[in-house]
Amino acid sequence: MPSSHSQRRRTRAMSDINVVPYIDVMLVLLVIFMVTAPLAPPSSIDLARAGGAGATPDAYVEVIVERNGSIAVKRSDAREAQQRNLDRKNVTAAVLRARGKEALPVVITADRNVPYGEVASLLGQLKEQVRDGAALARVGLMVRPEK
């Protein structure tokens, strides 16, 4: 007759966590996010408005970028532009000639339809140019205040 001790198995408490249900839930969530992600609208960026722009200086050198891409340079106290139809490489020299010995700020006025990249490139070009150890650090964009 077999002993009662051999028929009864010893059962131990299981100390491992069963993670299979958690994996199933995570996979279901992953599929839901993958399906709904293309349906969500892209986020929009709210850019700063020009209404809070500072005051325009009394005297400045204006770099005018027209819709067709032509560039002109003039002083604020002059009625006509000193130089018209400039190449991008000649703009800095024209600005320095228009400034003379005065440390006038430079303002870029661009048509609304001029691509942003061209205006930003011109702004960087003017800021990087070094003359007599001092850069044209006071370079800005002119905007019209919102109504």
Side-chain angles (χ1 to χ4, degrees), residues 127-141:
K127 280 194 173 222
E128 287 176 2
Q129 188 64 32
V130 176
R131 180 68 162 210
D132 298 328
L136 297 175
R138 294 182 58 195
V139 179
L141 298 174

Side-chain angles (χ1 to χ4, degrees), residues 47-73:
L47 298 176
R49 300 187 191 280
T56 305
D58 294 334
Y60 54 90
V61 175
E62 185 175 8
V63 177
I64 304 163
V65 183
E66 296 176 10
R67 182 181 300 193
N68 60 6
S70 67
I71 301 173
V73 174

Side-chain angles (χ1 to χ4, degrees), residues 44-147:
S44 62
I45 298 172
D46 189 15
L47 298 176
R49 300 187 191 280
T56 305
D58 294 334
Y60 54 90
V61 175
E62 185 175 8
V63 177
I64 304 163
V65 183
E66 296 176 10
R67 182 181 300 193
N68 60 6
S70 67
I71 301 173
V73 174
K74 78 171 213 167
R75 286 179 61 117
S76 61
D77 52 4
R79 293 187 188 266
E80 292 289 320
Q82 283 91 354
Q83 304 230 340
R84 290 195 174 275
N85 299 326
L86 292 170
D87 291 11
R88 290 184 58 96
K89 56 186 171 184
N90 299 331
V91 171
T92 306
V95 167
L96 292 172
R97 278 193 300 274
R99 283 177 77 186
K101 297 197 184 235
E102 300 176 65
L104 297 176
V106 179
V107 176
I108 299 174
T109 306
D111 188 87
R112 178 184 297 218
N113 296 322
V114 175
Y116 175 77
E118 291 181 27
V119 177
S121 174
L122 183 61
L123 179 69
Q125 174 186 339
L126 288 171
K127 280 194 173 222
E128 287 176 2
Q129 188 64 32
V130 176
R131 180 68 162 210
D132 298 328
L136 297 175
R138 294 182 58 195
V139 179
L141 298 174
M142 182 176 286
V143 294
R144 288 192 177 150
E146 290 185 334
K147 294 179 182 178

